[in-house]
C-alpha cells in the first residue's frame, strides 16, 4: 500500500515538503468550499499521503452543504493538521467549554518548532483562533506559499491598492489581479 493516514507518515516535515503537501490539502478543501461543501470532520486519519507525496482527503463529499460553522471547523482542523505536520504532534487541546469562555490563545507553532517560518506559525494561530468568526473564511485563504503569503499579506489585512489602482471591493481586486496576470503572461 503506497498510501496511509497522515499520522502514519514521518512528521515534522521539512518546510518545503510541508508547504507542497499542505498546499495540496488546502486546495482540496478550498475546492469543496467553493462548491458549498464542508467536510466538518477533517482529521489526520481522513488525510492520506501517498509514497509520492500525493494528498487525498477521505469522506469529502460527506460534509454539510454551505454551513458557515462547518467551514470554520474545516479551517480549524486544517490549522491543527499544519501544526501536526510541522511539529510532529497534534496541538494541545483547547480549554473545555465548561471551564468558561474560550479566552486562551490558540497553540503557538513556534513553541513546538522554533525554526518554523513566521507566516506559517501565524497561519496556524489564525486558523485555530478560539473565535470562529476571526478565522480565515475558507481554506483558500490558508494556502501556504500562495502569492499573498509570499507578498507578506496576512489574514485580516485589508488591500487598499494594487500598482497605484485603488481597491474598493473583492470584485475589483480580482479584476485588477486578473489584468496583471494577463499583462504578465503577454510579457513572457
Amino acid at each position: 500500500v503506497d498510501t496511509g493516514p497522515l499520522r502514519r507518515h514521518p512528521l515534522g516535515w521539512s518546510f518545503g515538503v510541508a508547504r507542497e503537501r499542505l498546499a495540496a490539502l488546502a486546495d482540496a478543501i478550498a475546492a469543496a468550499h467553493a462548491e458549498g461543501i464542508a467536510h466538518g470532520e477533517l482529521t489526520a486519519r481522513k488525510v492520506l499521503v501517498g509514497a509520492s507525496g500525493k494528498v487525498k482527503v477521505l469522506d469529502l463529499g460527506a460534509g454539510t452543504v454551505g454551513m458557515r460553522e462547518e467551514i470554520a471547523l474545516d479551517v480549524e482542523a486544517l490549522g491543527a493538521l499544519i501544526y501536526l505536520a510541522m511539529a510532529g504532534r497534534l496541538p494541545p487541546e483547547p480549554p473545555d467549554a465548561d471551564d468558561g469562555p474560550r479566552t486562551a490563545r490558540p497553540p503557538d507553532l513556534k513553541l513546538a518548532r522554533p525554526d518554523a517560518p513566521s507566516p506559517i506559525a501565524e497561519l496556524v494561530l489564525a486558523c485555530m483562533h478560539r473565535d470562529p468568526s476571526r478565522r480565515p473564511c475558507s481554506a483558500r485563504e490558508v494556502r501556504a506559499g500562495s502569492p499573498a503569503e509570499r507578498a507578506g499579506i496576512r489574514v485580516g489585512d485589508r488591500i487598499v491598492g494594487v500598482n497605484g489602482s485603488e481597491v474598493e471591493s473583492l470584485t475589483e481586486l480580482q479584476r485588477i489581479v486578473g489584468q496583471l496576470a494577463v499583462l504578465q503572461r503577454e510579457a513572457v
Side-chain angles (χ1 to χ4, degrees):
V1 177
D2 73 309
T3 304
L6 180 64
R7 287 196 59 97
R8 246 195 278 156
H9 284 263
L11 300 174
W13 290 331
S14 72
F15 299 119
V17 168
R19 173 171 282 153
E20 178 183 313
R21 292 178 183 173
L22 295 170
L25 175 58
D27 284 347
I29 298 300
H33 289 174
E35 295 296 321
I37 299 170
H39 194 291
E41 296 181 1
L42 188 62
T43 65
R45 286 191 169 104
K46 294 189 179 182
V47 177
L48 300 180
V49 182
S52 65
K54 185 172 179 160
V55 176
K56 296 179 183 179
V57 180
L58 300 179
D59 302 331
L60 192 54
T64 308
V65 177
M67 293 192 62
R68 182 176 266 164
E69 296 82 12
E70 297 290 324
I71 290 174
L73 285 174
D74 286 353
V75 170
E76 182 180 30
L78 189 54
L81 293 173
I82 294 169
Y83 188 103
L84 171 65
M86 301 300 291
R89 65 178 188 265
L90 287 169
E93 287 291 318
D96 190 359
D98 295 337
D99 293 339
R102 291 174 56 140
T103 56
R105 279 180 52 89
D108 188 346
L109 178 60
K110 287 275 196 184
L111 295 176
R113 186 153 178 195
D115 61 335
S118 292
I120 293 175
E122 290 169 12
L123 180 62
V124 169
L125 287 171
C127 289
M128 298 193 71
H129 198 284
R130 301 296 183 227
D131 179 357
S133 69
R134 302 212 31 214
R135 294 180 194 147
C137 295
S138 78
R140 179 72 59 208
E141 292 181 45
V142 172
R143 190 175 190 272
S146 68
E149 182 198 58
R150 289 193 303 271
I153 297 170
R154 293 190 169 68
V155 173
D157 285 354
R158 182 168 183 262
I159 300 171
V160 295
V162 176
N163 286 354
S165 298
E166 286 188 32
V167 174
E168 301 276 331
S169 68
L170 178 59
T171 303
E172 192 171 348
L173 175 62
Q174 290 170 329
R175 181 187 56 77
I176 292 168
V177 170
Q179 289 173 340
L180 290 173
V182 168
L183 291 173
Q184 189 175 29
R185 281 193 300 269
E186 289 174 354
V188 174

